[in-house]
C-alpha cells in the first residue's frame, strides 16, 4: 500500500517541480552550484572506474577466447559493445546512485530536519522547485559524464590489451571500429537521459519527504540508494526491450 | 492584529488543538506558553499557514486568511517573519546571504540597497561584523540573532518565534528576549512567541496564552499571572522553587 502511495507522491512532486518557478537571478546560482557538486564533482571517480573496468572487460574477453579461429580484433569489438551499451550508461549510473544520490538525499533531508524547508515554505517559496529543479537541470549534463566514461572505458581496454599482450594496437582499433551501429549510441544516450532524471528526482523525493532527525537522514539515504538502483535496473530492462529487440 | 476564532486541528484521528480563540495585538509581545507537547508549535504553524485546520478562522488585520485568494495569501505571507526553534539558517550561505535572502527573493531592490538594509539589520541585532561567517561557525546565540535579522529584514507586520531562547544560557536568552521586544515596539509589529521558559514570560510577556493538552486553559498578562488561582497555570508556572518564592514575595508585597 505504501508503495503505491509513494509512487503517487513521487509523481506529484515531479509535477510540483515545474510549478511556481523561483526567480531566475536566484535559480541561476543554484544551478551552477549543483553542476559543480553533481557533475564536476563526479568526474574523478567516474574516470577512475571507467578506465579500470574497461581494462578488466578486455582482459576477461581475451582470456575467454581460446579458440585460435576467432580473430584477435574481437577483443576490441567486445569491449566497445559492452562499454557503450551497458557498462558506461548503466553501471556508472548505479555508482552515481550511491555518490550523487546519497549526497542529494542527505543534503535535502538535513534541510528538512533543521526546518530550512519550512523556512522556505513560510516565505511562500515553492521549496520543491527551489531544491529539485536545479538538480534536474544540472543532471541534464550527465550525458557528458557518460561520454567521458565511454571514451575512458575503451581507452582503458586498449591499455590493458597492449600491456597484457593480448593483441596488437591495430587489432584492437580495428575491433573498436568494426560493425559500428550509430543507433547504439542513440540508445545509450536515451538511457542516460532517463537515468539522469531518476538520479535527480528519486533521491530528492526521499530527502524531501523524510521525517525525524539525523539518524533518519542516514536511513533515508540508504533507502534512496536502493530505490534509485531498482528504478535504473528496471528502466534499463524496459528501454532495452523497447529499443533494441 | 491577529484574531483566532474557534481553531481546531487534528492529525488523522488525533485531536491536537481544541477550540482556541484569542487575539494578538500590534506592537505587543504575546506569548504562548505550555508544557512540551501541549501544541504550541502546531498552533504557530497554523498561524503561519504551514498547516491546514479543520475548523475555525485566523484573520490578519481583519482579513480572514482562509477566504483569501492565492495572491492575497502570498501577500500576507510576505509580511510574516518567522524565527524557527533551531534557527533554520540556510547552511550553504553566509550570514549576510542568509539575511539578504528574503530581499533577493521578494524585492526588486538593487544590490547596494539590499546591502545597506542587511548592514542595518545586522547592526540592529548586534552582529555588525559577522557577515562572512557561515552559520556553522556561529554560536547558538549568534544564530538566533541572525534568524531574527532574517525575519525582520523585509519589514514584516507579523513576527513569530518558536522557543527563541531554547538551548541558550540565561544571559543570552534575556538578550534575545529583549531584542525581540524592542523590535516589536520599534516597528509596531504583531509578535507571537512560543515559550516554556518562565524567565522570558516574566521579562517580556505582555499577553500570555496558556495551552494545556491543546486547549487554551488561561490567558492574561505577566502581572495577572501572579494572582491567578487557576491550578493548571500555577502548577506549570510555579513548578520551580524559585518561582514559588517569587510569587509569595510578590503577593506579600502587594498586600501591604
Ligand atoms: N506533523 C505532525 N504529525 C502528527 N502529529 C504531530 C505533528 N506535529 C506535532 N504533532 C503532535 O502534536 C502534539 C503537539 O506538538 P507540538 O505542537 O510540537 O508541541 P510543543 O508545545 O512542544 O511545541 C504532539 O503530541 C505531537 O506529537
Ligand atoms: Mg514546539
Amino acid at each position: 500500500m505504501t508503495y503505491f502511495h509513494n509512487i503517487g507522491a513521487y509523481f506529484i512532486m515531479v509535477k510540483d517541480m515545474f510549478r511556481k518557478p523561483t526567480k531566475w537571478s536566484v535559480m541561476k546560482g543554484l544551478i551552477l552550484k549543483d553542476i559543480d557538486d553533481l557533475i564536476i564533482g563526479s568526474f574523478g571517480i567516474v574516470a577512475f572506474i571507467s578506465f579500470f573496468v574497461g581494462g578488466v572487460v578486455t582482459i576477461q574477453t581475451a582470456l575467454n577466447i581460446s579458440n585460435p579461429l576467432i580473430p584477435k580484433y574481437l577483443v576490441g569489438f567486445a569491449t566497445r559493445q559492452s562499454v557503450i551499451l551497458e557498462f558506461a550508461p548503466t553501471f556508472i549510473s548505479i555508482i552515481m546512485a550511491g555518490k550523487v544520490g546519497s549526497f542529494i538525499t542527505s543534503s535535502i533531508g538535513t534541510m528538512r530536519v533543521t526546518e530550512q524547508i519550512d523556512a522556505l515554505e513560510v516565505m511562500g517559496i515553492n521549496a520543491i522547485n527551489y531544491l529539485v529543479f536545479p538538480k534536474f537541470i544540472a543532471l541534464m549534463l550527465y550525458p557528458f559524464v557518460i561520454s567521458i566514461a565511454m571514451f575512458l572505458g575503451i581507452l582503458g581496454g586498449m591499455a590493458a590489451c597492449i600491456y597484457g599482450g593480448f593483441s596488437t594496437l591495430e587489432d584492437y582499433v580495428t575491433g573498436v571500429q568494426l560493425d559500428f551501429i550509430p543507433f547504439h549510441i542513440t540508445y545509450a544516450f536515451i538511457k542516460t537521459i532517463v537515468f539522469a532524471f531518476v538520479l535527480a528526482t528519486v533521491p530528492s523525493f526521499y530527502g524531501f519527504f523524510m521525517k525525524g532527525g539525523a539518524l533518519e537522514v542516514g536511513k533515508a539515504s540508504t533507502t534512496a540508494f536502493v530505490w534509485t538502483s531498482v528504478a535504473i535496473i528496471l528502466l534499463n530492462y524496459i528501454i532495452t526491450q523497447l529499443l533494441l529487440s | 492584529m491577529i484574531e483566532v476564532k474557534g481553531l481546531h486541528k487534528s492529525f488523522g484521528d488525533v485531536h491536537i488543538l481544541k477550540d482556541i480563540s484569542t487575539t494578538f495585538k500590534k506592537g505587543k509581545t504575546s506569548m504562548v506558553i505550555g508544557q512540551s507537547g501541549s501544541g504550541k508549535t502546531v498552533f504557530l504553524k497554523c498561524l503561519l499557514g504551514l498547516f491546514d485546520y479543520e475548523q475555525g478562522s485566523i484573520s490578519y488585520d481583519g482579513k480572514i486568511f482562509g477566504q483569501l485568494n492565492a495572491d492575497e495569501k502570498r501577500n500576507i505571507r510576505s509580511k510574516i517573519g518567522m524565527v524557527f526553534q533551531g534557527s533554520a539558517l540556510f547552511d550553504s550561505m553566509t550570514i549576510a546571504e542568509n539575511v539578504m535572502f528574503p530581499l533577493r527573493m521578494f524585492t526588486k531592490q538593487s544590490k547596494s540597497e539590499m546591502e545597506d538594509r542587511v548592514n542595518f539589520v545586522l547592526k540592529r541585532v548586534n552582529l555588525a561584523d559577522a557577515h562572512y561567517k557561515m552559520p556553522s561557525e556561529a554560536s547558538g546565540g549568534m544564530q538566533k540573532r541572525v534568524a531574527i535579522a532574517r525575519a525582520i529584514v523585509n519589514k514584516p507586520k507579523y513576527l513569530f518565534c518558536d522557543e527563541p531562547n531554547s538551548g541558550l544560557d540565561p544571559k543570552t536568552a534575556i538578550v534575545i528576549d529583549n531584542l525581540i521586544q524592542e523590535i516589536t515596539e520599534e516597528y509596531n509589529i504583531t509578535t507571537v512567541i512560543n515559550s516554556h521558559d518562565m524567565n522570558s514570560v516574566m521579562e517580556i510577556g505582555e499577553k500570555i496564552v496558556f495551552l494545556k493538552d491543546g486547549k487554551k486553559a488561561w490567558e492574561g498578562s505577566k502581572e495577572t499571572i501572579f494572582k491567578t488561582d487557576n491550578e493548571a497555570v500555577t502548577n506549570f508556572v510555579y513548578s520551580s522553587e524559585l518561582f514559588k518564592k517569587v510569587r509569595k514575595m510578590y503577593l506579600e508585597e502587594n498586600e501591604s
Side-chain angles (χ1 to χ4, degrees):
Chain A
M1 216 38 226
T2 54
Y3 291 139
F4 290 114
H5 174 85
N6 279 351
I7 291 170
Y10 168 79
F11 282 106
I12 292 172
M13 183 199 82
V14 169
K15 200 183 85 209
D16 282 348
M17 186 165 87
F18 298 100
R19 266 187 45 237
K20 221 172 133 226
T22 306
K23 243 182 164 176
W24 176 242
S25 59
V26 176
M27 183 53 82
K28 206 171 50 188
L30 297 172
I31 292 174
L32 290 178
K33 186 171 180 306
D34 280 333
I35 289 177
D36 190 36
D37 284 339
L38 305 178
I39 301 292
I40 309 213
S42 301
F43 279 146
I45 181 89
V46 168
F48 176 79
I49 294 176
S50 307
F51 189 82
F52 284 100
V53 177
V56 169
V57 169
T58 298
I59 296 173
Q60 297 281 19
T61 315
L63 292 180
N64 282 294
I65 300 174
S66 48
N67 190 332
L69 289 179
I70 298 178
K72 284 273 188 254
Y73 59 71
L74 211 70
V75 177
F77 176 78
T79 305
R80 182 199 79 204
Q81 288 302 80
S82 46
V83 165
I84 288 181
L85 293 178
E86 286 309 323
F87 163 69
T90 313
F91 185 78
I92 291 289
S93 293
I94 300 289
I95 303 280
M96 292 289 269
K99 185 187 183 294
V100 168
S102 62
F103 173 78
I104 292 178
T105 308
S106 59
S107 62
I108 295 184
T110 305
M111 290 187 72
R112 168 62 76 195
V113 302
T114 57
E115 293 183 305
Q116 292 176 53
I117 292 181
D118 286 335
L120 289 171
E121 280 174 351
V122 165
M123 295 180 202
I125 294 165
N126 176 0
I128 292 179
N129 175 268
Y130 182 90
L131 293 171
V132 187
F133 187 75
K135 296 182 171 47
F136 163 69
I137 297 294
L139 278 165
M140 288 300 111
L141 294 178
Y142 184 55
F144 192 59
V145 176
I146 296 304
S147 314
I148 290 178
M150 288 174 178
F151 176 75
L152 288 177
I154 292 172
L155 199 70
M158 188 174 83
C161 198
I162 294 165
Y163 182 73
F166 299 113
S167 77
T168 60
L169 176 62
E170 287 73 34
D171 278 345
Y172 187 82
V173 172
T174 311
V176 166
Q177 293 173 335
L178 187 74
D179 286 339
F180 180 69
I181 303 169
F183 183 70
H184 283 176
I185 296 282
T186 314
Y187 155 81
F189 281 108
I190 290 175
K191 289 211 293 200
T192 304
I193 287 283
V194 172
F195 296 163
F197 187 81
V198 170
L199 284 173
T201 52
V202 174
S204 295
F205 173 79
Y206 282 97
F208 197 88
F209 292 102
M210 63 152 296
K211 291 193 175 71
L215 184 66
E216 282 79 9
V217 174
K219 283 186 194 153
S221 300
T222 313
T223 318
F225 171 68
V226 170
W227 287 109
T228 308
S229 314
V230 168
I232 288 174
I233 298 291
L234 280 180
L235 286 165
N236 186 36
Y237 178 82
I238 294 169
I239 295 171
T240 307
Q241 176 74 31
L242 286 177
L243 294 184
L244 289 191
S245 63
Chain B
M1 190 172 84
I2 298 174
E3 238 182 314
V4 182
K5 279 191 194 144
L7 186 70
H8 286 267
K9 164 77 192 163
S10 310
F11 289 109
D13 297 337
V14 194
H15 200 168
I16 305 283
L17 298 180
K18 297 153 195 154
D19 194 27
I20 297 183
S21 302
T22 188
T23 55
F24 302 113
K25 292 212 174 78
K26 236 192 186 123
K28 297 260 184 274
T29 316
S30 306
M31 304 197 87
V32 178
I33 63 170
Q35 270 182 354
S36 190
S38 57
K40 303 183 295 293
T41 299
V42 173
F43 179 62
L44 208 60
K45 289 191 171 172
C46 288
L47 291 186
L48 284 165
L50 279 181
F51 285 158
D52 290 329
Y53 34 90
E54 299 74 59
Q55 254 188 65
S57 69
I58 301 175
S59 64
Y60 299 82
D61 292 311
K63 291 185 188 130
I64 297 176
F65 193 77
Q67 295 173 358
L68 302 178
N69 65 34
D71 275 343
E72 291 168 319
K73 277 185 182 161
R74 207 167 303 145
N75 191 25
I76 289 200
R77 279 211 173 146
S78 68
K79 293 185 183 133
I80 294 178
M82 170 76 191
V83 177
F84 284 91
Q85 189 160 355
S87 296
L89 300 178
F90 302 121
D91 41 29
S92 58
M93 301 180 193
T94 64
I95 283 177
E97 284 167 350
N98 261 284
V99 178
M100 197 184 281
F101 185 77
L103 300 179
R104 283 175 64 208
M105 279 312 243
F106 301 108
T107 70
K108 295 193 171 73
Q109 295 176 14
S110 70
K111 188 126 206 274
S112 66
E113 281 173 301
M114 290 196 276
E115 278 166 0
D116 286 348
R117 179 73 188 151
V118 168
N119 290 340
F120 176 81
V121 288
L122 278 178
K123 206 176 276 166
R124 185 66 195 76
V125 299
N126 299 320
L127 281 176
D129 46 34
H131 289 58
Y132 304 109
K133 280 203 167 117
M134 297 306 283
S136 57
E137 298 164 344
S139 67
M142 275 169 84
Q143 291 182 1
K144 275 286 150 58
R145 280 184 282 168
V146 178
I148 293 171
R150 184 177 70 183
I152 63 170
V153 71
N154 204 10
K155 303 182 179 159
K157 288 170 77 176
Y158 316 100
L159 178 64
F160 300 134
C161 311
D162 196 1
E163 316 230 358
N165 49 26
S166 68
L168 300 180
D169 62 273
K171 208 168 163 195
T172 313
I174 288 175
V175 172
I176 297 288
D177 284 340
N178 289 336
L179 179 65
I180 294 171
Q181 191 183 30
E182 283 163 28
I183 287 169
T184 300
E185 280 176 19
E186 207 172 310
Y187 305 115
N188 203 20
I189 302 173
T190 307
T191 298
V192 181
I193 300 177
N194 273 357
S195 186
H196 57 230
D197 176 9
M198 284 319 294
N199 275 322
S200 10
V201 174
M202 295 308 179
E203 192 82 22
I204 59 172
E206 293 175 275
K207 159 140 192 184
I208 300 163
V209 174
F210 177 70
L211 292 189
K212 188 174 193 310
D213 303 328
K215 284 199 207 89
K216 185 177 88 177
W218 181 83
E219 79 175 20
S221 66
K222 64 182 173 189
E223 286 80 25
T224 56
I225 206 165
F226 277 120
K227 297 175 202 152
T228 179
D229 298 325
N230 185 313
E231 208 172 313
V233 178
T234 49
N235 278 342
F236 174 71
V237 174
Y238 307 109
S239 51
S240 95
E241 287 303 316
L242 179 64
F243 275 107
K244 276 182 194 140
K245 280 188 194 136
V246 172
R247 182 186 194 214
K248 215 169 131 217
M249 280 160 58
Y250 178 90
L251 292 176
E252 279 167 9
E253 206 176 277
N254 279 30
E255 267 164 32
S256 59

